Amino acid sequence: KSRKSWRRLIETMREAERKYLSPSWGFGLGPEDFAANEIAEGLLYVSHVTKLALDLYMEKAPRFVRFVSPTQKLIGDNPDAQYYIASLRVTTHGGVIDNQNNKEFIVKGCRGAHEVYFSLSVHAPPGDGGNGSSSGAFEQVVTDINDEQISFDDKGCYS
């Protein structure tokens, strides 16, 4: 099963390279040097998306991983913010949430000493009801809380 999943990942990466980094998506159409750099940037982007997916889904227990960094750009560039993301899986049967087998999560941590804003939010695909059939990262905010609603101790920690 592990090898089958691994091979499916590799084939998905091949397909992403063939489909999205092609002339039909506007890649490789310019002068040779420009086209080569454009393809290299596209491969770097596919690598960043793959790295994020591996960070999020390879571990059984959810954990926060850095979503963007000075060297990893996804969705957009926001150099003043540090975004972390965790994947919480919801058990469903036929699109209906299974409250018997789902887990409750307690989020604990400490904010950075120089953070001017802190928030946590839960996202789901529109109309999904939590069945995990997302085609992207952030379609719908289900709930959120920010630093005005969170109690921090004198070290900036919360639970």
Side-chain angles (χ1 to χ4, degrees), residues 19 60 64 66 77 84 98-99 110 128 139 143 147:
K19 182 176 180 179
K60 290 187 182 203
F64 285 102
R66 191 142 182 209
D77 191 8
Y84 292 85
D98 176 357
N99 290 319
C110 300
D128 176 57
E139 289 90 352
T143 188
D147 49 17

Side-chain angles (χ1 to χ4, degrees), residues 44-152:
L44 184 61
Y45 181 79
V46 170
S47 298
H48 287 170
V49 171
T50 303
K51 177 187 179 302
L52 179 62
L54 290 171
D55 285 345
L56 283 173
Y57 300 113
M58 288 296 289
E59 306 298 328
K60 290 187 182 203
R63 63 188 175 92
F64 285 102
V65 296
R66 191 142 182 209
F67 187 71
V68 294
S69 72
T71 59
Q72 179 171 298
K73 309 285 187 205
L74 299 171
I75 298 178
D77 191 8
N78 192 348
D80 298 337
Q82 290 187 22
Y83 295 101
Y84 292 85
I85 186 172
S87 177
L88 305 177
R89 292 170 187 84
V90 175
T91 304
T92 62
H93 299 288
V96 176
I97 294 175
D98 176 357
N99 290 319
Q100 293 279 328
N101 293 309
N102 282 314
K103 299 176 182 173
E104 185 174 296
F105 295 93
I106 298 172
V107 179
K108 297 192 268 186
C110 300
R111 70 186 294 172
H114 303 290
E115 288 178 5
V116 294
Y117 180 77
F118 180 88
S119 71
L120 297 165
S121 58
V122 177
H123 298 258
D128 176 57
N131 72 9
S133 61
S134 173
S135 62
F138 305 118
E139 289 90 352
Q140 173 186 353
V141 175
V142 176
T143 188
D144 67 334
I145 185 171
N146 65 38
D147 49 17
E148 293 179 2
Q149 302 156 304
I150 300 171
S151 297
F152 294 94

